[in-house]
Every structure is written in C-alpha cells, then in structure tokens.
Amino acid sequence: MKEYFILQYKMLNRQLTEWGIEPVIGYVVGLFAFIGISMKLFEKTQFAEYIYILLALSLVIKLNEINRNDFLKLCYSKTEYFKIRIVENLIVSIVFITFLLFQEKYLSSILLFISVCLFSLIDLKSKSSFTLPTPFYKYPFEFTVGFRSNYLIYFFAYFLTFMSISVDNFNLGIFSLILTLLSCLNYYANSEDDYYVWVFSLTPKEFLRYKLKNIIQYSTILCLPIIVSLSLFFYTKIDIILGFQFLGYLFIFTTMLAKYSVFPEKLNIRFGIVFALTLWLPPLLLLIIPYLYIQSTKKLKEILQ
C-alpha cells in the first residue's frame, strides 16, 4: 500500500511539472485558492454545503472507475484493496470535510464522511451483458454512454426532489437539479476518439451547433421531472428554477467547447481552475465562451475539413 501511494504522489508531481507548475508551489497555491474560493462560495450562496458535498462525491465517483478498480483487485488482496479505496476517498474529500466542519456544518460533514467510506465498498459501475435502453440512441456519444454509466445518479436526484417536496425544502430540490446538470456536464469532460468527430460531414460551426442542440434537448429530458415537480409545488420560485436550468446549459456548453478547444488532447488542470472561477463568478462565461468557441473551431477544422 505504501508503495502504491508513493507512486501516485510521484505521478501527480510529474503531471504538475509537465504543465509547467512546480509541485510545491502548486500545492500551496492550490490550498490557498481552495480556501479563498470556498469562503466566497459560502458567502455568496445558501446552497454552498450542497455544492460542496456534490463536488466531493463527484471526485470520489471518478475514483470508482471499473477498469481501474479491476486492476487494483488483481494487484492487491481484498482487504488491501478496500483499505486503498477508503484512504483514496478520504484523501480527495478531507479538505471538503474539514471546511464543512470549519463552517459548523456538522451534519453535512458527517454525511459526506459516511458517503465516501460507503463508496469505497461498492462498485458504481459494474460490467453486465444487459444494455440499458435510453432515449439518446439517435445521437450518441456523450449522453448515451454517460447515462448508461451513471443512471443511478438520476434515481437519486429524483428521490431528492420527492423529499424536497415532502419536507417543503426548496433548497434540496434545487440541489437535485444541480446534481442532474453536473452529471450531464461530466459527459463532456472526456474526449472521444478522432473518428467519432471525423465521421461528421459538417463544418466546425455546424458541428458545434449540433452539439449545443443535443445538450439542450437531452439535458432538458433528464431535468424535466425535477423542473415540473418543483414548479408545481414551489410555483412562486419558478424564476429561480429556470435560472439554474439556464446556467446549467451555459456550463455544459462551456465544458463542451473546452473539450474541443484542445481536442484530441484531454482537459487539464487549467480548465479546472477556470471552471472553478466561473462557478464563483458566472458572468466570466461571457468572456470565456467566445474564446473557447474560436479555439474549438480552429481545432475542429483540422479534423472535419
């Protein structure tokens, strides 16, 4: 186990060095940036603790990828495997738990701690011969693959919506909407093979419009049960519901543009920093979207034409 974590540490340092960031400086600046953004987040919105839990769990879920876990199971005994998974989950979530305690959100910090420990004991993505039918078959790639890999998240989000109505907690309902939108956003964080772009007989601008149409259409399908339910029972706050939905479209579209702005390479930590800033200050999207759009058309032109 010790050798495994030493290797992971060295790999992270190597990755930071490749990005032109001195590891020690990166850790220090990253910590202070995390604290600063967190302080602002809790000052600006009452949904901060929900967003915090969601961000932490999204990082934990990424560590639960089936191929990666299968490799660990081959290399370590069952006991060591679970120890590694628990320690990994705690490492990526400890800063979130600590800050929730600092903000005196004791119940949220306890729930997050229990959740990350439980996630280390289960495989969210298991292999099966069963192919889950989806309403997205006509236009693969992102939503078809993403939905089949993470469909349990939507059952959880719809359950949270039901609970928000039952206990008359609007904030919990909005959290379920944010959870659904961020799940859709995550579909565009990974780059597909060049072939799946090359096969389109479209110009770069037409390709991006096509992708935007899919984002609006399919994310609306997934969010519609939540939007309708919240609008019926919290009808005085329809403007807030639609506002979050519109912001969701913008953030998903921004992630899609970011992906194709560096395509076929993968998104790096720099986009993560920029994305965190836009969460804190959404008006920045008005500057970032045009820039990413121009960069995306340049990259796609090399493949589509």
Side-chain angles (χ1 to χ4, degrees):
M1 283 179 55
K2 180 180 178 181
E3 290 76 12
Y4 171 78
F5 286 107
I6 291 175
L7 177 61
Q8 295 300 313
Y9 174 70
K10 290 182 177 180
M11 290 173 63
L12 178 58
N13 285 347
R14 184 179 301 171
Q15 185 69 69
L16 290 173
T17 302
E18 289 177 357
W19 290 336
I21 302 173
E22 180 63 32
V24 175
I25 296 176
Y27 296 138
V28 174
V29 173
L31 178 60
F32 280 100
F34 176 83
I35 294 173
I37 293 173
S38 298
M39 293 293 290
K40 286 294 182 180
L41 182 63
F42 276 84
E43 289 176 8
K44 295 286 185 179
T45 176
Q46 57 185 323
F47 309 117
E49 62 181 300
Y50 301 115
I51 296 173
Y52 236 53
I53 293 173
L54 180 60
L55 289 174
L57 291 181
S58 66
L59 293 174
V60 169
I61 289 173
K62 281 188 174 295
L63 292 176
N64 213 17
E65 199 275 322
I66 185 170
N67 292 327
R68 178 179 178 279
N69 287 347
D70 284 347
F71 175 76
L72 290 177
K73 290 175 183 177
L74 289 173
C75 296
Y76 298 94
S77 67
K78 189 173 183 179
T79 301
E80 290 178 326
Y81 166 76
F82 284 123
K83 286 181 180 179
I84 289 173
R85 293 291 296 111
I86 291 173
V87 172
E88 281 185 327
N89 286 358
L90 289 176
I91 287 174
V92 301
S93 62
I94 191 64
V95 288
F96 296 94
I97 295 172
T98 303
F99 199 84
L100 285 171
L101 289 172
F102 174 75
Q103 291 290 329
E104 299 182 352
K105 306 294 183 181
Y106 301 117
L107 179 58
S108 295
S109 62
I110 292 172
L111 288 175
L112 179 57
F113 175 79
I114 294 173
S115 297
V116 298
C117 290
L118 288 176
F119 279 153
S120 66
L121 303 177
I122 59 176
D123 288 329
L124 293 181
K125 302 175 182 179
S126 58
K127 293 179 179 178
S128 173
S129 59
F130 172 71
T131 300
L132 182 70
T134 78
F136 315 123
Y137 67 94
K138 189 177 180 181
Y139 302 111
F141 147 82
E142 291 87 0
F143 277 86
T144 305
V145 175
F147 179 81
R148 286 174 174 161
S149 301
N150 301 285
Y151 64 91
L152 291 177
I153 290 178
Y154 301 107
F155 287 108
F156 179 62
Y158 299 153
F159 171 74
L160 290 180
T161 304
F162 171 76
M163 291 301 299
S164 73
I165 295 171
S166 300
V167 300
D168 194 29
N169 187 331
F170 178 70
N171 291 346
L172 185 59
I174 287 295
F175 173 68
S176 67
L177 180 61
I178 294 173
L179 175 62
T180 303
L181 289 167
L182 284 181
S183 180
C184 296
L185 180 149
N186 188 54
Y187 300 162
Y188 290 90
N190 299 313
S191 296
E192 64 267 41
D193 190 88
D194 297 16
Y195 174 78
Y196 293 104
V197 175
W198 175 81
V199 292
F200 284 90
S201 180
L202 299 171
T203 66
K205 292 182 180 180
E206 290 172 340
F207 179 81
L208 293 176
R209 283 198 297 268
Y210 158 80
K211 289 288 184 177
L212 175 59
K213 183 187 72 172
N214 287 349
I215 287 172
I216 295 175
Q217 180 179 351
Y218 288 150
S219 60
T220 300
I221 290 174
L222 293 171
C223 293
L224 198 58
I226 300 175
I227 295 172
V228 172
S229 300
L230 294 181
S231 298
L232 288 174
F233 290 91
F234 301 99
Y235 54 87
T236 59
K237 298 180 179 180
I238 290 179
D239 55 335
I240 298 176
I241 298 169
L242 296 179
F244 272 96
Q245 183 68 21
F246 179 72
L247 277 176
Y249 292 145
L250 287 182
F251 279 110
I252 299 172
F253 182 55
T254 302
T255 305
M256 182 270 289
L257 290 177
K259 179 178 78 167
Y260 290 116
S261 69
V262 296
F263 191 82
E265 298 177 10
K266 296 182 178 180
L267 292 175
N268 54 38
I269 194 172
R270 294 173 185 173
F271 172 71
I273 295 172
V274 173
F275 185 78
L277 290 174
T278 57
L279 286 175
W280 173 46
L281 194 62
L284 285 175
L285 291 172
L286 298 176
L287 299 175
I288 294 172
I289 288 178
Y291 170 77
L292 291 177
Y293 181 82
I294 294 172
Q295 295 300 115
S296 297
T297 54
K298 289 180 180 178
K299 282 288 183 178
L300 289 170
K301 190 175 181 181
E302 301 172 3
I303 301 173
L304 292 171
Q305 294 181 348

